[in-house]
Amino acid sequence: MKKKIIYCLLLFCAIVLQTSVLPLISPLHIAGDVVLMLILAGSVLDGFFAFFWWAIFAGIVYDLASYTTVGIHALIFLLVVYFVSFFSRRFSVEIKGVGVALFVIFVAVATLLSRGIIALSVAWDLQTFNGYFEEFGNWKIIIFQILFNTFLFLFCFFVLKKVKKFFVIE
């Protein structure tokens, strides 16, 4: 029960930060995705089976809070959790050596996947594929968002690790 309450509070704080604070302080109006990075950090720390339902719950709550089509972020989060679980079973995911490079790869793939699915959702709603690449963004925007998301991932990773240690959450 303690884990559910703490994870819900962390998710609520991440959604508030994502929807209200980050769009105001980010240059070029490209906010990093703190909710996605929290899901990524949680799936690295907890694993696929422990974080599967949290990803679905977080996606639906985030969709409702950000006024997007319900299920889009749940799909993104589930794909990210599955991707992380696939590679975390095969490689060491620690903050040393190959683990750091693997974290950067996780962040880059999660960012590209999120931008791609959201751009596809917008193109689907408009019923035209013409604006897909404009919605997806240019390389400058994508690289900036990957860098911003890397810092957010490291922040979420350390915060989640400290919270789990402080509250003795398995």
Side-chain angles (χ1 to χ4, degrees):
M1 186 65 181
K2 179 170 49 171
K3 179 179 180 178
K4 291 178 183 177
I5 293 170
I6 292 169
Y7 276 17
C8 283
L9 285 173
L10 285 173
L11 177 66
F12 175 74
C13 290
I15 289 173
V16 168
L17 188 67
Q18 177 69 40
T19 57
S20 61
V21 177
L22 287 180
L24 295 175
I25 64 171
S26 66
L28 302 173
H29 300 291
I30 305 161
D33 200 348
V34 71
V35 180
L36 178 65
M37 295 302 113
L38 183 67
I39 296 299
L40 186 61
S43 64
V44 166
L45 290 174
D46 286 350
F48 177 73
F49 294 108
F51 215 74
F52 177 78
W53 292 110
W54 282 108
I56 294 172
F57 175 72
I60 292 171
V61 170
Y62 184 47
D63 285 336
L64 293 173
S66 63
Y67 301 112
T68 58
T69 305
V70 176
I72 296 294
H73 284 96
L75 174 67
I76 293 168
F77 295 163
L78 284 177
L79 290 173
V80 166
V81 168
Y82 182 73
F83 175 76
V84 168
S85 74
F86 179 79
F87 284 103
S88 65
R89 288 188 211 150
R90 287 149 183 82
F91 298 106
S92 172
V93 284
E94 298 174 353
I95 303 286
K96 52 181 139 171
V98 178
V100 174
L102 202 58
F103 286 154
V104 172
I105 292 171
F106 286 163
V107 170
V109 169
T111 303
L112 292 173
L113 182 73
S114 175
R115 290 190 70 84
I117 290 176
I118 290 172
L120 188 63
S121 169
V122 170
W124 183 274
D125 287 343
L126 296 175
Q127 295 188 2
T128 181
F129 197 65
N130 292 337
Y132 176 78
F133 291 107
E134 291 174 11
E135 185 68 32
F136 188 77
N138 60 22
W139 287 106
K140 180 182 175 184
I141 292 172
I142 292 170
I143 289 171
F144 180 77
Q145 189 169 17
I146 288 173
L147 289 174
F148 199 36
N149 280 346
T150 302
F151 291 118
L152 287 174
F153 170 76
L154 291 173
F155 174 74
C156 290
F157 184 80
F158 287 121
V159 165
L160 197 57
K161 202 170 191 180
K162 292 291 183 185
V163 164
K164 287 179 67 141
K165 185 178 180 182
F166 181 77
F167 289 107
V168 191
I169 298 173
E170 70 284 341

